[in-house]
Amino acid sequence: MQRPEAWPRPHPGEGAAAEKEAAARGGTAQGAGATEPPGLRLQEPSLYTVKAVFILDNDGHRLLAKYYDDTFPSIKEQKAFEKNVFNKTNRTNSEIAFFGGMTIVYKSSIDLFLYVVGSSQENEVMLMSVLTCLFDSLNHVLRRNIEKRSLVENMDGAFLVVDEIVDGGVILENDPQQVIQKVNFRVLQSAKEQIKWSLLK
């Protein structure tokens, strides 16, 4: 999955110039006869599809979390949200929940709960593809042992996995093999840098 390109934007002043020209003709910038009933204007497409990714243990305590907007600006608010989500989901067999105006997909493994959060309008299939990619990528990084102890011991690798899947709320990748290749490359580059600096000392 390639990185999404930015949406094209009009040059500064284009919109205003069109409106002035239309007003001078006694019309609107939408064109002759084009009327748009109130409330039917389509929302501008957004690339920012993921609001948060977090992993909790089987007591609902945070192990890993990344938030991509200011819905929950403080750590206290984030942890309160995570606890509420955990209480709502830890005893159910479903994989999708709707809570606090948000769509949440989740998956459990031994003593871990993995969550991906989007807005209430977000496509559940898209969010589920992120969750599946996260689970499969961690399964490789943690050597098919997705449980708390293994995650804690490999937290750096887990954060790298999340960063390769989602960046700033934008989905970058949903293919686990591509994620693993990129993570391995970053680990290799980091190791080379460490060796380089150790030799320079």
Side-chain angles (χ1 to χ4, degrees), residues 178-196:
Q178 291 295 320
V179 171
I180 295 304
Q181 286 181 10
K182 293 174 182 178
V183 168
N184 288 340
F185 177 77
R186 290 178 64 175
V187 170
L188 181 60
Q189 289 297 106
S190 177
K192 286 182 177 179
E193 286 295 320
Q194 290 180 0
I195 293 174
K196 177 182 176 181

Side-chain angles (χ1 to χ4, degrees), residues 18-197:
E19 289 179 2
K20 288 181 180 178
E21 184 179 347
R25 295 197 304 267
T28 66
Q30 292 182 354
T35 59
E36 189 175 279
L40 293 184
R41 181 172 296 177
L42 295 176
Q43 292 184 343
E44 184 177 349
S46 173
L47 296 173
Y48 302 96
T49 56
V50 177
K51 298 175 77 67
V53 174
F54 54 87
I55 302 176
L56 309 179
D57 64 16
N58 57 358
D59 293 319
H61 298 142
R62 173 193 286 196
L63 297 174
L64 178 156
K66 297 274 287 189
Y67 284 77
Y68 302 105
D69 64 15
D70 58 357
T71 303
F72 303 100
S74 70
I75 294 179
K76 182 179 179 180
E77 290 173 290
Q78 292 172 6
K79 288 188 174 182
F81 169 69
E82 292 162 14
K83 194 68 175 179
N84 288 333
V85 170
F86 177 78
N87 291 336
K88 183 178 177 66
T89 59
N90 72 321
R91 298 183 184 278
T92 64
N93 293 322
S94 176
E95 293 183 331
I96 301 175
F98 301 95
F99 179 79
M102 284 168 278
T103 303
I104 303 166
V105 296
Y106 59 98
K107 189 181 186 71
S108 63
S109 175
I110 308 177
D111 54 357
L112 296 179
F113 287 81
L114 290 74
Y115 296 89
V116 175
V117 181
S119 70
S120 58
Q121 293 84 26
E122 198 51 64
N123 187 328
E124 297 97 336
V125 175
M126 183 66 73
L127 295 176
M128 188 60 73
S129 73
V130 174
L131 179 64
T132 301
C133 182
L134 174 64
F135 184 88
D136 291 346
S137 300
L138 288 177
N139 191 42
H140 181 90
V141 170
L142 303 180
R143 297 175 177 83
R144 304 188 183 279
N145 189 26
I146 303 182
E147 49 88 27
K148 180 177 178 178
R149 180 178 177 180
S150 182
L151 177 68
V152 171
E153 291 176 350
N154 296 274
M155 193 62 75
D156 289 345
F159 271 106
L160 286 176
V161 164
V162 174
D163 289 343
E164 289 297 340
I165 298 173
V166 181
D167 181 19
V170 179
I171 301 172
L172 300 180
E173 188 61 74
N174 62 5
D175 182 347
Q177 292 184 345
Q178 291 295 320
V179 171
I180 295 304
Q181 286 181 10
K182 293 174 182 178
V183 168
N184 288 340
F185 177 77
R186 290 178 64 175
V187 170
L188 181 60
Q189 289 297 106
S190 177
K192 286 182 177 179
E193 286 295 320
Q194 290 180 0
I195 293 174
K196 177 182 176 181
W197 283 108

